């Protein structure tokens, strides 16, 4: 099985590339929906801060790789030829993927103006949509501080 990991800033096109790979090659997508379910189970508001709080607590309790380890337990049998992990954020997650060979990590980026144009008017992770470049840049800082 080939595992493809996509990393990069928000709105750089990772989800679009993931969608195309899934459609074209029938790849299986690593899914962290269990984190969302855990946030809901705890009665927390489904926003980025809640997801970060829950994953941080889980990492402290079960180890740095708990999120990606749980994703691996969901792999279908028989194993798919290609699996893709959209939005890798933790170096430890990359280490876990590297245990399974082959693994390819792809960093994606696009000009900030292009990413801002994609982000305008889109509510993401429970936050209000950004309206100005200054808001987008502040949101970028928040994203990078949490990774």
């Amino acid at each position: 099985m080939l595992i493809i990991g996509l990393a990069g800033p928000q709105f750089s096109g990772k989800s679009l590339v993931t969608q195309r790979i899934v459609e074209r090659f029938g790849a299986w997508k690593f899914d962290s929906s269990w984190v969302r379910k855990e946030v809901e189970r705890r009665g927390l508001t489904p926003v980025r801060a809640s997801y970060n709080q829950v994953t941080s607590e889980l990492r402290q309790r079960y180890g740095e790789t708990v999120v990606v380890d749980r994703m691996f337990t969901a792999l279908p049998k028989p194993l798919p030829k290609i699996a893709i992990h959209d939005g890798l954020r933790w170096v430890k997650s990359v280490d876990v993927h590297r245990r399974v060979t082959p693994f390819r990590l792809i960093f994606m980026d696009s000009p900030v103006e292009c990413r801002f144009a994609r982000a305008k008017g889109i509510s993401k992770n429970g936050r209000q949509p950004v309206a100005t470049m200054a808001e987008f840049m502040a949101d970028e800082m928040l994203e990078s501080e949490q990774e």
Side-chain angles (χ1 to χ4, degrees), residues 33-56:
S33 61
W34 65 271
V35 174
R36 184 178 57 253
K37 290 175 187 171
E38 180 64 17
V39 166
E40 291 169 3
R41 186 188 72 73
R42 294 181 182 195
L44 300 171
T45 306
V47 295
R48 169 76 67 188
S50 299
Y51 299 127
N52 289 339
Q53 174 189 335
V54 167
T55 56
S56 178

Side-chain angles (χ1 to χ4, degrees), residues 9-78:
Q10 60 180 346
F11 298 102
S12 60
K14 298 179 300 294
S15 296
L16 179 61
V17 168
T18 296
Q19 179 184 342
R20 295 291 192 269
I21 291 172
V22 167
E23 290 170 358
R24 176 115 192 244
F25 301 104
W28 182 82
K29 183 181 176 203
F30 280 89
D31 183 353
S32 61
S33 61
W34 65 271
V35 174
R36 184 178 57 253
K37 290 175 187 171
E38 180 64 17
V39 166
E40 291 169 3
R41 186 188 72 73
R42 294 181 182 195
L44 300 171
T45 306
V47 295
R48 169 76 67 188
S50 299
Y51 299 127
N52 289 339
Q53 174 189 335
V54 167
T55 56
S56 178
E57 289 173 11
L58 292 170
R59 284 184 176 107
Q60 287 175 356
R61 185 170 184 181
Y62 299 107
E64 290 292 318
T65 62
V66 65
V67 175
V68 74
D69 287 341
R70 287 196 184 181
M71 288 180 189
F72 268 97
T73 64
L75 275 167
K77 304 289 189 256

Side-chain angles (χ1 to χ4, degrees), residues 92-134:
K92 296 282 187 182
S93 296
V94 172
D95 293 341
V96 171
H97 284 308
R98 285 188 173 144
R99 286 189 232 150
V100 180
T101 57
F103 170 69
R104 300 292 179 262
L105 177 62
I106 300 169
F107 181 82
M108 298 183 58
D109 201 359
S110 58
V112 68
E113 297 81 9
C114 180
R115 293 187 293 108
F116 170 63
R118 291 177 189 153
K120 282 179 74 171
I122 296 174
S123 177
K124 185 176 179 197
N125 299 315
R127 292 188 299 240
Q128 293 296 319
V130 296
T132 66
M133 179 63 89

